């Protein structure tokens, strides 16, 4: 899509502007171990961008900071101009960030439908007193949420009949879909997908890749991907950022990254480029 | 680490609470000391009593900390393991007393009592682990805790059923009557013995954990159970050993407690159990040295604080509130510094 | 023939069983129950209690695999070992008597005589032999029951169960029978507090028939309900509802004064259990200091409504109640705020600490001017007028019955609130939090707020219980607010099923009602609670009346040892 114009010509605080998320000089250290060092990162609205890198590069740590699970030791992260660097996790979710997990973390003993409905939590308003009195507004809201949940199940390809199943009884592929449905239920602005094709065969991977592209197109979502499967990354990303040893070592279009010697070296070792 | 932009109400309340406590403690202490409510000798006696009481707590606390180190669970029933040792030793002590052995040969009899107490507690602890805790190793954390509570009820009330409701008065041991003059300070023989015995046991434990193979294995298991298993350590056996050691120490503590208080009763496990747990938390749960120190500190606090703080504040019958001091320490430590004096912050 | 390992397993089970039998005598449970007749002069509850382990081990050891002969042989082996151990213990106790009594205080000559069947003229050796034979025989019987087809099992258990029930309710049934004029029936059924051999046998047969016919009846009922049209079904539902209402309305009248008191006590624990259920069951927070909220409710009520309290306002109960509930919710928030970040077991201990601090403070000299010290606060007025009121059809209600109706109302209200919450956005949030706190946060749930909410609601419900309690006793004393109460409520919730509303009712009746019905047992209440907690956690952590999700959640916590768990135990329903 676009090239990396230097940051100074962008206006990070543009709400409704070109950039959905801007991270500046983000550093995260854990008791002396520096997991992310001085990372600048932007996500343009409605784009699909990916972060790749060898194991241990700090991708998940960075991811966690974007979703509000960790907080940067230094640096800032802004979502639509709002500083989320030190915001509690649930408030970041409320602002419109949703995510899936590398090892599926569904609410295993809740039903499929309940999982999705929990995903919708931030867009609902029912409080305990409303629930007790079952006020009309609450009933409407619940019915609406359920309707939307079924829509989402259909969108991700889960049969309506599975809605009463316990999440842990679903096959692996369906569990991944359910996680996406749960994430989508909050009508997020930014969707973070952590290795969405892990453990999938080529057929399923292709399905997931197409699905991600469809999400961007049909739902106008902005998507950030962590992936190891290069076919997926190259196939669907508009821009790829490469991390290694906690630092950003390259950024660009798929073609640029494929040819970047530093990237090749990071993955395959020094001699691969020789 | 989070730096919220504005303080949350909970944090404000906590901060206010902390300030109130510091102020209260300072005012109370100052008032008591400046009014000279107690003499220097009285403070000294309270201190020594606190140390001996605290030594008992320390021995029990070690059991909590060891088990927590390997299983990350609170063995709620540990206090009753302590009680069982003291109770069993009572019957032996009675027998020894009747036959004249106890007072005729205390140097031999008393260590025997300690041994009996230690061994019987060890048996209970090991059975407890096997029957109640092992089936639940993979359960969500609440489950073993609830089981432990049930086990505690069961053990204490079984003892009540078996041996009866009444207080069992330990036979008089002449050897422990009176005081010794140590560096010019008269110390009750009972207190001195308890302190010495506790220190000896703790030293043995320290040596065991630091210097023996099994001790090393225990430390490995508490660091990382799965890796330890991969290294060829029989995790189950180590866990049993941990419970056994905790039981031995608690049983010995039970006998020492009986020597100080001259009595045992089926319900005596609860309060010392909670207080010992407080000590373990105070020192940093999982930390052996912390448990030892925490025990002594708590013992002293419990002994001295009612008079130091509350008399000064004009609170009537401060001794009634002795237990409140201990519980308050527990609550305050868990609120303000859950990893204790020597523990590490978990999971940052 | 049974294999070597089968026999070894049988032997070790037998040893354990023998140990259990010795325990039951030494702790005093069996001797205490020996006072209760089942069949007068022939069978006491105590003897039944001693028979049960032998039967059980035979049943369990007979297992599923192998020929009936082999299985029965295993059962016999277990019984022989158990009986041998037990008889040996008996002989040893007699030999060491009376000295042994100074250690094991329950082993008086009377108890040893009871165990040794001295009543029928046997000496120690004879008694030991008889015990041995009985244990072996009962084990074989248990094995045979296991071997027998499911229907036969059901029938036998039904008959035995019926006999047990009729025996246990004797103190309450007899006065009712006489009151309603069934004098001859009463004479036939009971003599000297137990059944006659004939009436006992009849009861057994009746019970067996009922149990035998139960599956058929249930199936017929289910299919006819399923096949009925919606109109008829809703009529049926309404009818059932009305019947339930009628029963609840007439409970005090039907039960008489003592039973009503028991039911009121159960009711208090139902209310408390519903409150704790929100904290433990929904939000997953183990609160061991729940009694503090009960105390807060009771003491606030006493302070506000009693004219002789430190405040002396003397307000009407119903005016005071909202104030009390609001104050308690605030206290819940205050207690919760600092501690809710703590992990599960630490939270439990901290709440325990709070509960104990509260207990000491309530009775302390320091707070005596406000809280009344050990004597508490008196002259708390009744909820309704002077504690007596008249209701249509059933006349004047006073005493426990007067408390019953408002308490019932509060229980229903609490259950209603709990039910509504469970299936709402709030309930889902609690569920999610319990499942995976981190992910719940990432889904936008403020775990801190929801935990606080649970605490506050639990406090509110508990305080209502306390308020009613204060009026029931017309006063408050600190002695009623001890740790045992917290643990009992926890046991009620755990036994019934954490998070299950009907479970709380079942748990309360089981744990509170039974010791009241079996007064001899009451001394061992806490022992049984402890055993129940351990047993439930190990065998059936989802409780007696769980919902499907909870059952799934806790199923994995059991280590699968093979055929010992699961449908084997389901003797009654026969779903083996």
């Amino acid at each position: 899509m676009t090239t990396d114009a230097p940051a100074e010509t962008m206006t990070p605080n543009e709400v409704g502007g070109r950039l959905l998320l801007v991270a500046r000089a983000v550093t995260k250290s854990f008791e002396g171990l520096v997991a992310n060092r001085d990372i600048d990162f932007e996500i343009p609205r409605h784009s699909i961008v990916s972060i790749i890198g060898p194991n241990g590069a700090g991708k998940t740590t960075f991811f966690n900071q974007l979703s509000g699970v960790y907080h940067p030791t230094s640096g800032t992260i802004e979502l639509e101009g709002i500083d989320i660097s030190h915001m509690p996790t649930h408030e970041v979710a409320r602002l419109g960030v949703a995510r899936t997990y590398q090892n599926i973390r569904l609410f295993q003993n809740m039903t499929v439908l309940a999982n999705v409905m929990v995903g919708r939590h931030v867009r609902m308003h029912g409080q305990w007193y409303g629930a007790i009195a079952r006020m009309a507004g609450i009933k409407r809201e619940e019915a609406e949420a359920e309707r939307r949940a079924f829509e989402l199940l259909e969108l991700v390809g889960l049969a309506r009949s599975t809605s009463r199943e316990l999440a842990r009884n679903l096959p692996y592929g369906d569990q991944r879909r359910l996680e996406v449905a749960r994430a989508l239920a909050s009508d997020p602005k930014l969707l973070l997908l952590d290795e969405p094709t892990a453990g999938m065969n080529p057929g399923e991977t292709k399905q997931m890749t197409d699905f991600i592209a469809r999400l961007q197109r049909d739902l106008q979502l902005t998507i950030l991907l962590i992936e190891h499967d290069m076919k997926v990354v190259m196939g669907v990303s508009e821009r790829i950022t490469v991390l290694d040893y906690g630092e950003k070592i390259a950024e660009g279009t798929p073609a640029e990254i494929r040819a970047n010697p530093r990237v090749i070296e990071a993955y395959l070792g020094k001699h691969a480029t020789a | 680490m989070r730096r919220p932009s504005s303080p949350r109400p909970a944090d404000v309340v906590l901060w206010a609470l902390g300030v109130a406590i510091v102020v209260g403690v300072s005012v109370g202490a100052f008032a008591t000391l400046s009014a000279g409510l107690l003499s220097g000798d009285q403070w000294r006696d309270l201190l020594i009593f606190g140390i001996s009481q605290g030594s008992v707590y320390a021995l029990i606390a070690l059991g909590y900390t060891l088990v927590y180190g390997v299983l990350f669970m609170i063995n709620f029933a540990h206090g009753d393991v302590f009680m069982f040792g003291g109770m069993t030793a009572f019957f032996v002590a009675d027998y020894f007393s009747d036959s004249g052995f106890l007072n005729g040969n205390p140097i031999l009899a008393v260590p025997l009592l300690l041994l009996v107490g230690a061994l019987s507690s060890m048996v209970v602890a090991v059975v407890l682990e096997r029957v109640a805790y092992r089936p639940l190793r993979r359960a969500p954390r609440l489950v073993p805790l609830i089981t432990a509570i049930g086990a505690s009820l069961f053990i204490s009330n079984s003892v009540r059923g078996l041996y009866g409701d009444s207080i069992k008065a330990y036979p008089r041991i002449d050897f422990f009557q009176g005081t010794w003059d140590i560096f010019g300070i008269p110390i009750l023989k009972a207190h001195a013995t308890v302190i010495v015995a506790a220190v000896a046991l703790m030293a043995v434990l320290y040596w065991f954990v630091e210097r023996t193979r099994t001790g090393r294995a225990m430390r490995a298991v508490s660091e990382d159970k799965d890796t330890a298993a991969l290294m060829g350590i029989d995790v189950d056996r180590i866990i049993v050993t941990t419970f056994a050691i905790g039981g031995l120490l608690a049983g010995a503590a039970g006998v020492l407690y009986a020597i100080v208080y001259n009595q045992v009763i089926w319900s005596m496990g609860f309060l010392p159990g909670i207080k010992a747990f407080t000590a373990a938390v105070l020192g940093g749960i999982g930390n052996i040295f912390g448990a030892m120190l925490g025990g002594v500190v708590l013992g002293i606090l419990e002994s001295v604080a009612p008079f130091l703080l509350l008399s000064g504040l004009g609170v009537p019958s401060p001794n009634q509130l002795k237990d409140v001091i201990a519980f308050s320490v527990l609550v305050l430590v868990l609120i303000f510094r859950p990893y204790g004096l020597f523990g590490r912050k978990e999971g940052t | 023939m049974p294999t070597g390992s089968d026999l070894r397993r049988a032997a070790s089970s037998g040893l354990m069983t023998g140990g259990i039998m010795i325990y039951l005598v030494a702790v005093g449970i069996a001797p205490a129950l020996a006072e209760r007749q089942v069949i007068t002069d022939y069978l006491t509850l105590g003897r039944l209690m001693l028979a049960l382990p032998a039967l059980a081990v035979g049943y369990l050891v007979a297992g599923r695999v192998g020929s009936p002969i082999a299985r029965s042989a295993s059962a016999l082996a277990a019984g022989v070992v158990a009986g041998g151990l037990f008889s040996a213990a008996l002989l040893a106790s007699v030999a060491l008597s009376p000295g042994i009594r100074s250690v094991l205080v329950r082993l008086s000559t009377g108890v040893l005589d009871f165990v040794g069947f001295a009543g029928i003229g046997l000496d120690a050796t004879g008694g030991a032999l008889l015990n041995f034979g009985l244990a072996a025989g009962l084990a074989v019987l248990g094995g045979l029951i296991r071997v027998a087809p499911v229907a036969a099992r059901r029938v036998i258990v039904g008959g035995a169960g019926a006999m047990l029930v009729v025996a246990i309710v004797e103190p309450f049934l007899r006065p009712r029978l006489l009151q309603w004029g069934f004098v001859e029936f009463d004479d036939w059924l009971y003599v000297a507090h137990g059944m006659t051999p004939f009436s006992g046998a009849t009861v057994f047969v009746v019970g067996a028939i009922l149990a035998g016919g139960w599956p058929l009846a249930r199936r017929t009922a289910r299919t006819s309900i399923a096949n009925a049209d919606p109109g008829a079904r809703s009529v049926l539902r309404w009818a059932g509802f009305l019947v339930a209402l009628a029963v609840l309305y007439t409970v005090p009248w039907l039960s008489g004064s003592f039973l009503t008191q028991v039911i009121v006590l159960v009711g208090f624990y139902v209310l408390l259990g519903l409150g704790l259920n929100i904290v433990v069951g929904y939000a997953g927070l183990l609160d061991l200091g729940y009694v503090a909220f009960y105390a807060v409710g009771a003491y606030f009520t006493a302070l506000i409504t009693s004219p002789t309290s430190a405040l002396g306002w003397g307000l009407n109960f119903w005016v005071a109640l909202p104030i009390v509930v609001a104050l308690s919710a605030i206290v819940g928030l205050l207690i919760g705020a600092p501690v809710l970040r703590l992990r599960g077991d630490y939270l439990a201990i901290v709440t325990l600490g709070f509960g104990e601090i509260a207990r000491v403070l309530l009775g302390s000299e320091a707070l005596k001017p406000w809280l009344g010290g050990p004597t508490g606060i008196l002259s708390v007025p009744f909820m309704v007028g002077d504690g007596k009121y008249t209701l249509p059809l059933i006349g004047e209600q006073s005493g426990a019955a007067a408390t019953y109706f408002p308490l019932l109302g509060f229980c229903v209200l609490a259950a209603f609130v709990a039910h509504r919450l469970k299936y709402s956005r709030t309930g889902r949030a609690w569920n999610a939090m319990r499942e995976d706190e981190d992910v719940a946060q990432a889904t936008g749930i403020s775990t801190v707020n929801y935990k606080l909410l649970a605490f506050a609601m639990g406090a509110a419900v508990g305080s209502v219980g306390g308020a009613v309690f204060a009026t029931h006793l017309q006063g408050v004393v600190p002695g009623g607010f001890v740790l045992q109460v917290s643990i009992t409520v926890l046991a009620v919730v755990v036994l019934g099923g954490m998070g299950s509303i009907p479970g709380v009712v079942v748990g309360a009746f089981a744990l509170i009602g039974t010791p009241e019905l079996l007064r001899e047992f009451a001394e061992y209440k806490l022992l049984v609670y402890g055993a129940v907690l351990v047993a439930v956690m190990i065998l059936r952590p989802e409780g007696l009346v769980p919902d499907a999700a909870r059952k799934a959640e806790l199923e994995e916590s059991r280590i699968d040892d093979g055929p010992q768990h699961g449908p084997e135990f389901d003797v009654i329903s026969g779903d083996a």
Side-chain angles (χ1 to χ4, degrees):
Chain A
M1 195 171 94
T2 64
T3 57
D4 303 292
E8 295 75 55
T9 66
M10 295 292 131
T11 331
N13 288 335
E14 266 180 69
V15 180
R18 201 181 65 81
L19 296 174
L20 181 63
L21 183 133
V22 176
R24 292 254 164 280
V26 168
T27 302
K28 177 67 180 167
S29 58
F30 297 101
E31 300 205 352
L33 172 72
V34 181
N36 291 145
R37 190 190 302 276
D38 214 27
I39 298 182
D40 291 333
F41 190 74
E42 291 158 2
I43 307 182
R45 212 177 272 278
H46 301 318
S47 64
I48 302 183
V49 299
S50 300
I51 297 182
I52 65 174
N55 278 323
K59 309 187 291 292
T60 305
T61 308
F62 189 66
F63 217 61
N64 284 337
Q65 291 175 89
L66 296 184
S67 60
V69 173
Y70 295 157
H71 301 283
T73 314
S74 67
T76 60
I77 305 176
E78 282 182 1
L79 181 73
E80 291 197 308
I82 304 172
D83 186 353
I84 63 171
S85 321
H86 301 292
M87 214 175 249
T89 320
H90 65 271
E91 276 175 40
V92 174
R94 201 138 44 80
L95 285 179
V97 178
R99 66 170 290 177
T100 65
Y101 298 84
Q102 185 179 347
N103 338 329
I104 301 180
R105 288 177 79 171
L106 290 170
F107 301 120
Q108 295 288 342
N109 299 294
M110 292 171 74
T111 63
V112 165
L113 186 64
N115 267 273
V116 181
M117 301 271 283
V118 172
R120 193 138 186 85
H121 184 95
V122 284
R123 298 289 161 239
M124 298 170 72
H125 305 288
Q127 297 295 332
W128 60 272
Y129 41 85
I132 295 175
R134 210 182 273 176
M135 310 193 310
I138 301 287
K139 277 165 78 169
R140 254 197 316 261
E141 185 180 73
E142 289 279 316
E144 174 62 31
E146 211 177 284
R147 199 189 54 79
R148 179 87 181 114
F150 278 116
E151 263 178 28
L152 285 170
L153 286 180
E154 200 183 312
L155 179 72
V156 301
L158 284 173
R160 234 186 132 83
S161 55
T162 62
S163 69
R164 295 212 154 279
E165 281 279 348
L166 291 183
R168 53 193 275 215
N169 293 334
L170 289 183
Y172 182 80
D174 283 353
Q175 285 194 1
R176 281 230 171 264
R177 290 173 216 250
L178 179 56
E179 250 206 343
V180 176
R182 182 179 68 183
L184 292 176
S186 60
D187 291 339
K189 299 199 173 98
L190 175 62
L191 180 63
L192 305 175
L193 299 173
D194 195 344
E195 302 204 28
T197 65
M200 287 187 177
N201 63 44
E204 293 167 329
T205 304
K206 177 87 175 60
Q207 272 186 338
M208 179 59 86
T209 315
D210 291 341
F211 179 68
I212 294 175
R214 256 195 5 243
L215 283 181
Q216 178 209 26
R217 204 178 52 228
D218 296 342
L219 296 182
Q220 301 288 300
L221 276 182
T222 310
I223 301 177
L224 168 60
L225 222 49
I226 293 183
E227 250 308 335
H228 274 302
D229 187 331
M230 283 305 144
K231 289 235 312 273
V232 177
V233 173
M234 299 293 169
V236 85
S237 320
E238 294 158 16
R239 190 199 75 203
I240 302 175
T241 306
V242 187
L243 297 184
D244 192 20
Y245 288 111
E247 293 179 349
K248 185 160 84 171
I249 61 171
E251 199 169 64
T253 64
E256 290 168 359
I257 293 298
R258 237 196 311 260
N260 185 313
R262 265 202 86 182
V263 174
I264 300 175
E265 181 184 313
Y267 271 99
L268 300 175
K270 246 196 169 50
H271 303 288
T273 50
Chain B
M1 272 143 289
R2 167 185 314 159
R3 291 182 293 278
S5 40
S6 66
R8 297 177 0 220
D11 293 327
V12 171
V13 170
L14 277 183
W15 186 84
L17 182 66
V19 167
I21 290 171
V22 171
V23 166
V25 166
S26 317
V27 167
F30 183 72
T32 310
L33 290 173
S34 59
L37 287 169
L38 294 180
S39 71
D41 275 355
Q42 285 176 307
W43 288 120
R44 183 201 63 207
D45 286 338
L46 280 178
L47 192 67
I48 295 176
F49 177 70
I51 296 177
S52 78
Q53 175 95 303
S55 313
V56 174
Y57 291 156
L59 287 174
I60 308 174
L62 283 168
Y64 279 115
T65 231
L66 286 171
V67 167
Y68 190 86
V70 292
L71 278 185
F72 293 103
M73 77 163 275
I74 300 174
N75 181 8
F76 200 83
H78 192 58
D80 303 283
V81 169
F82 151 81
M83 175 273 295
F84 195 79
M87 182 67 78
T88 312
F90 161 75
F91 294 110
V92 176
D94 221 21
Y95 176 71
F96 281 178
S97 170
D98 285 340
S99 68
F101 179 49
L102 186 61
N103 282 313
N105 210 338
I107 310 281
L108 198 54
V110 172
L112 266 179
L113 284 182
L114 281 171
L115 193 63
V116 166
L119 286 176
S120 51
S121 283
M122 184 187 84
V123 168
V124 174
V126 167
V127 168
L128 187 64
E129 191 273 330
R130 186 64 187 82
V131 169
Y133 300 150
R134 192 179 297 192
L136 300 173
R137 287 260 182 90
R138 295 180 304 158
R141 251 191 219 126
L142 280 195
V143 173
L145 183 59
I146 294 177
T147 309
I149 295 170
S152 165
L153 277 181
F154 184 77
I155 295 174
S156 55
N157 281 279
S158 293
V159 167
R160 180 187 190 189
L162 288 171
Y163 305 134
D165 260 327
S166 57
I167 300 177
K168 317 257 181 238
Y170 254 63
R172 212 178 108 102
I173 306 177
D174 295 325
F175 181 73
F176 288 134
Q177 304 306 314
T179 64
W180 280 320
D181 248 347
I182 302 181
F183 304 123
I185 307 172
I187 302 182
L188 281 174
K189 286 188 193 171
H191 292 175
T193 314
V194 166
I195 296 173
V196 167
V199 168
L201 284 168
M202 288 191 259
V204 169
L205 176 75
Y206 190 76
W207 166 82
F208 184 81
V209 170
E210 293 292 318
R211 295 297 156 92
T212 65
R213 255 186 81 214
T214 317
R216 257 203 309 280
M218 280 168 62
R219 278 182 286 143
V221 170
S222 78
E223 282 283 340
D224 189 335
K225 215 191 310 184
D226 297 320
T227 310
L230 288 174
M231 293 286 136
I233 294 177
D234 184 345
V235 173
D236 274 348
R237 209 171 60 88
I238 293 297
I239 292 179
V240 172
T241 311
T242 309
F243 270 86
I245 294 176
L248 285 170
L249 292 170
V255 178
L256 292 174
Y257 182 90
I259 289 176
V260 171
Y261 285 99
N262 289 310
Q263 65 188 37
V264 288
I265 186 175
W266 64 274
S267 56
M268 79 186 218
F270 174 64
L271 275 177
I274 299 279
K275 291 175 186 176
F277 176 73
T278 307
V281 170
L282 182 61
I285 194 129
N287 184 308
I288 293 178
F289 183 63
M292 297 182 196
L293 194 66
V296 175
V297 167
L298 185 68
I300 296 174
L301 263 178
E302 200 185 58
S303 179
V304 167
F307 296 102
L308 183 62
L309 304 177
L310 300 176
S311 302
L313 293 172
V315 173
S317 298
N319 218 24
Q320 233 184 21
L321 301 179
K322 194 171 74 139
D323 295 337
V324 172
I325 303 276
F327 286 120
S328 304
V329 170
L330 174 67
V331 167
L332 291 172
V333 168
L334 284 177
I335 291 178
F336 288 108
R337 206 182 157 98
Y339 41 93
L341 294 171
F342 298 107
R344 292 158 292 133
K345 263 203 176 109
E346 214 182 59
T348 22
Chain C
M1 278 309 293
T3 68
S5 72
D6 281 342
L7 283 176
R8 252 174 293 141
R9 204 168 68 105
S12 62
S13 304
L15 271 178
M16 235 172 27
T17 309
I20 292 176
M21 290 166 71
I22 296 173
Y23 173 83
L24 287 174
V25 174
V27 158
I29 294 178
L33 288 177
E35 304 298 313
R36 272 298 196 98
Q37 304 286 345
V38 177
I39 298 181
T40 310
D41 293 335
Y42 288 101
L43 184 63
T44 61
L45 213 52
R47 189 76 58 194
L48 216 53
M49 185 96 240
L50 278 180
L52 212 55
L55 264 175
V57 77
Y59 182 87
L60 290 172
V61 162
R64 271 179 145 183
V65 192
S67 71
I69 307 262
R71 292 159 74 184
S72 310
S74 294
L76 176 64
V80 162
V81 172
L85 183 60
F86 188 66
S87 315
L90 177 62
L91 285 172
S93 308
V94 172
L96 291 173
S97 179
I100 197 171
R101 195 161 168 222
S102 61
V103 177
L104 295 172
V105 300
R106 313 278 166 182
L107 299 183
S108 63
T109 9
V111 166
L112 291 175
D113 281 343
F114 157 71
V115 176
F117 291 96
I120 53 176
L122 288 176
D123 67 344
T125 330
L129 281 174
L130 182 55
N131 270 298
F132 175 77
L134 272 178
L138 285 167
V140 172
L141 182 60
L144 288 176
I145 295 179
R146 186 69 178 279
V147 170
V150 170
R153 263 187 249 167
R154 192 197 332 272
V155 157
I156 292 177
V157 173
M163 280 182 71
L164 205 60
V165 167
V166 171
I168 292 177
V169 302
E170 186 265 342
F172 315 106
L173 192 52
R174 294 200 85 177
R176 301 270 138 264
L177 289 177
L178 293 173
Q179 190 185 38
W180 295 328
F182 297 112
V183 181
E184 290 112 14
F185 179 61
D186 170 79
D187 274 341
W188 169 81
L189 187 58
Y190 290 119
V191 67
H193 296 295
M195 295 181 278
T196 66
F198 183 66
S199 61
T202 319
V203 168
F204 184 90
V205 168
V206 169
I209 294 177
L210 284 175
W214 171 250
L216 182 63
R218 195 167 69 164
R219 236 175 307 148
T220 332
R222 280 208 181 139
T223 40
S224 53
I225 290 180
N227 292 338
D229 59 69
R233 226 183 299 176
S234 77
V235 166
L236 222 63
R237 207 177 302 143
W238 276 109
F241 186 62
L242 285 174
V243 167
L245 215 58
V247 168
L248 286 174
Y249 187 71
T250 51
V251 155
W253 176 71
L254 284 171
S255 320
S257 121
F258 176 71
L259 263 188
T260 306
Q261 273 176 26
V262 173
I263 292 179
V264 163
L265 189 60
V266 170
F268 278 119
Y269 277 94
V270 167
L271 194 53
L272 286 178
L274 287 171
L276 186 63
N277 208 16
I278 295 177
V279 180
V280 171
Y282 294 173
L285 306 168
L286 186 55
D287 182 355
L288 289 180
Y290 193 68
V291 72
F293 299 134
Y294 192 49
V296 161
Y299 266 85
F300 272 137
T301 306
L303 277 171
I304 297 179
T305 62
S306 165
T308 61
S309 75
L311 283 180
W313 295 345
L315 290 180
N316 177 270
F317 172 82
W318 301 96
V319 170
L321 190 62
I323 306 176
V324 170
V325 170
L327 283 174
S328 310
I330 294 176
V331 169
L333 290 173
L334 285 177
I335 291 183
V339 304
L340 288 176
R341 325 167 271 150
L342 291 175
R343 223 193 51 196
D345 17 14
Y346 287 136
L347 179 68
I349 303 291
V350 162
T351 50
L352 177 88
F354 275 130
E356 286 296 284
I357 292 177
R359 173 183 67 84
V360 176
L361 289 178
L362 283 180
S364 68
E365 281 296 310
L367 292 176
K368 191 164 175 180
W370 292 284
L371 300 180
T375 38
I377 305 176
L378 302 174
S379 309
V380 175
F382 288 106
M383 280 185 278
V384 183
D386 56 355
K388 301 193 204 320
Y389 49 87
T390 320
L391 287 175
L393 280 184
I394 46 179
E396 183 185 82
Q397 307 297 309
S398 64
T403 307
Y404 168 81
F405 288 99
L407 183 60
L408 179 65
F410 283 125
C411 286
V412 169
L413 186 62
F416 174 75
V417 167
H419 186 262
R420 281 282 165 89
L421 280 176
K422 190 168 171 181
Y423 297 107
S424 70
R425 174 175 178 256
T426 309
R428 277 196 303 269
W430 278 332
N431 264 352
M433 233 170 61
R434 222 182 44 237
E435 289 270 346
D436 193 332
E437 205 173 312
D438 296 326
V439 174
Q441 286 259 47
T443 327
I445 298 171
S446 165
T447 51
V448 171
N449 287 350
Y450 276 93
K451 284 181 181 178
L452 280 175
L453 181 67
F455 238 65
M457 302 222 80
V461 174
S463 71
V464 171
V468 176
F469 187 65
T471 68
H472 180 63
L473 291 186
Q474 291 195 275
V476 287
V477 280
F481 302 104
V482 290
L483 177 65
Q484 276 82 306
V485 175
S486 295
I487 296 191
T488 307
V489 181
L490 179 67
V492 164
V493 171
V494 165
L495 178 64
M498 289 189 274
S500 158
I501 295 170
V504 169
V505 177
V506 169
F509 271 103
L511 289 181
I512 313 297
T514 320
E516 297 297 318
L517 291 182
L518 287 176
R519 295 253 77 185
E520 296 82 359
F521 212 50
E523 200 187 327
Y524 300 99
K525 220 170 36 171
L526 287 175
L527 194 154
V528 171
Y529 292 167
V532 163
L533 280 175
V534 176
V536 169
M537 284 294 112
I538 294 183
L539 296 175
R540 199 181 156 99
E542 65 271 14
L544 290 178
V545 191
D547 44 60
R550 187 60 61 107
K551 198 172 159 109
E553 182 180 337
L554 291 164
E555 225 156 48
E556 2 176 279
S557 73
R558 287 182 261 169
I559 289 192
D560 214 282
D561 286 330
Q564 279 133 291
H565 298 276
E568 310 291 16
F569 292 166
D570 221 345
V571 175
I572 303 288
S573 71
D575 306 322

